[in-house]
């Protein structure tokens, strides 16, 4: 048998987290976050214990106006898992106290760890008053690896063996505006499973297509002399 004893205490203050610096954010830069605690009766909550929980996770970003193109890592609808997804989340905790205005600031530096995917960062700030009453507020940041994205599109997900596989390519900025003059390398390779040292995927017979981006989508054509599953990168 189990039971709960619950207590309700009317909150005496409110907490609001915000981004001090403006988006967009890029790898190699930083962002300033802030949390502000105020009494409902008026006045700041100074010298209050503040705890930050910051979690980051790789994600996808799709520029607007290009819904038919894939700009991130695409998961087939017939798979119950994502080939590219894993437990890539990381989290850290930071502590401090609010200043005389009831505000605490946190600087996040976006180091370059070689990632080529955007990173979603969620920051939760919990402020506690002298009565040990705590309230939490959260804000989020999206960190881009670059200021342009490349999108891929195919007319079909299935083709017959020996039927050419056509892939459309477009390069845009964060707002979805096409960008010309960028060198793009597209690779198609057949995926096979190998059991050496544990099951893992290998990419066989890679085919490469190089082009320079224009304001309109361009095409790459790949051969499919062997049946199987192909990955386009």
């Amino acid at each position: 048998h189990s039971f709960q004893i619950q207590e309700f205490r009317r909150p005496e203050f409110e907490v609001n987290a915000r981004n001090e610096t403006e988006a967009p954010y890029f790898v190699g830069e930083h962002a300033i976050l802030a949390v502000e605690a105020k009494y409902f009766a008026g006045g700041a909550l100074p010298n209050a214990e503040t705890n930050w929980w910051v979690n980051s996770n790789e994600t996808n970003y799709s520029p607007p106006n290009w819904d038919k193109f894939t700009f991130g890592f695409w998961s087939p609808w017939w798979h119950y898992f994502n080939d590219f997804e894993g437990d890539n989340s990381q989290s850290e905790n930071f502590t401090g106290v609010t200043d005389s205005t009831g505000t605490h600031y946190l600087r996040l530096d976006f180091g370059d760890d070689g990632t080529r995917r955007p990173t979603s960062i969620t920051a939760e700030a919990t402020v506690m008053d002298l009565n040990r009453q705590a309230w939490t507020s959260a804000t989020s940041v999206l960190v881009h690896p670059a200021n342009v994205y490349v999108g891929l599109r195919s007319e079909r997900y299935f083709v017959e063996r020996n039927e050419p596989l056509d892939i459309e390519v477009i390069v845009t900025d964060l707002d979805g505006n096409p960008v010309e003059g960028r060198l793009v390398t597209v690779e198609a390779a057949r995926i096979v499973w190998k059991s050496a040292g544990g099951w893992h995927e290998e990419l066989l017979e890679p085919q490469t297509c190089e082009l320079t981006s224009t304001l309109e989508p361009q095409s790459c054509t790949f051969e499919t002399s062997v049946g199987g599953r192909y990955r386009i990168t």
Side-chain angles (χ1 to χ4, degrees):
H1 180 72
S2 63
F3 59 91
Q4 288 185 332
I5 300 176
Q6 296 185 346
E7 177 189 23
F8 173 75
R9 292 190 297 168
R10 189 178 301 279
E12 299 176 353
F13 65 97
E14 61 178 343
V15 173
N16 290 301
R18 65 178 185 268
N19 298 344
E20 284 287 286
T21 47
E22 294 185 1
Y25 303 100
F26 296 98
V27 168
E29 299 180 349
H30 72 274
I32 303 293
L33 310 182
V35 61
E36 185 178 16
K38 290 182 178 180
Y39 287 108
F40 286 119
L45 185 64
N47 203 36
E49 179 182 332
T50 304
N51 292 282
W52 288 89
W53 177 76
V54 181
N55 182 75
S56 66
N57 195 48
E58 289 185 344
T59 185
N60 290 328
Y61 175 78
S62 296
N65 304 321
W66 298 95
D67 297 340
K68 295 183 179 180
F69 284 76
T70 297
F71 287 86
F73 287 83
W74 177 74
S75 178
W77 53 264
W78 58 87
H79 279 200
Y80 66 91
F81 63 90
N82 190 328
D83 293 341
F84 301 94
E85 290 291 351
D87 185 15
N88 51 33
S89 64
Q90 301 180 18
S91 60
E92 290 192 46
N93 294 283
F94 306 94
T95 60
V97 294
T98 57
D99 59 18
S100 60
T101 66
T103 306
H104 184 267
Y105 297 92
L106 179 69
R107 170 172 169 146
L108 299 180
D109 291 303
F110 309 129
D112 187 358
D113 58 358
T115 181
R116 297 185 180 184
R117 299 185 60 183
T119 301
S120 174
I121 298 178
T122 301
E124 293 185 356
T126 301
V127 181
M128 183 177 297
D129 66 359
L130 295 178
N131 297 325
R132 309 305 294 173
Q133 191 177 36
W135 294 99
T136 301
S137 182
T139 186
S140 61
V141 171
L142 180 63
V143 183
H144 300 279
N147 59 359
V148 294
Y149 279 82
V150 58
L152 303 177
R153 176 180 180 268
S154 60
E155 285 287 346
R156 293 178 292 170
Y157 296 136
F158 299 91
V159 296
E160 295 287 343
R161 183 168 63 91
N162 290 323
E163 185 177 348
L165 180 61
D166 295 324
I167 303 294
E168 287 187 292
V169 183
I170 189 67
V171 176
T172 75
D173 61 15
L174 301 184
D175 296 323
N177 301 311
V179 176
E180 58 183 344
R182 298 299 182 98
L183 179 63
V184 182
T185 300
V186 186
E187 182 181 276
R190 184 167 58 89
I191 304 172
V192 296
W193 284 91
K194 298 288 186 178
S195 61
W199 286 98
H200 64 280
E201 289 183 347
E202 284 191 9
L203 302 178
L204 301 183
E205 300 121 23
Q207 305 173 56
T208 301
C209 169
E210 292 190 350
L211 53 86
T212 301
S213 66
T214 64
L215 299 181
E216 297 293 334
Q218 295 181 276
S219 295
C220 285
T221 300
F222 300 102
E223 298 178 356
T224 59
S225 57
V226 179
R229 192 159 59 101
Y230 285 74
R231 176 171 298 161
I232 313 299
T233 306

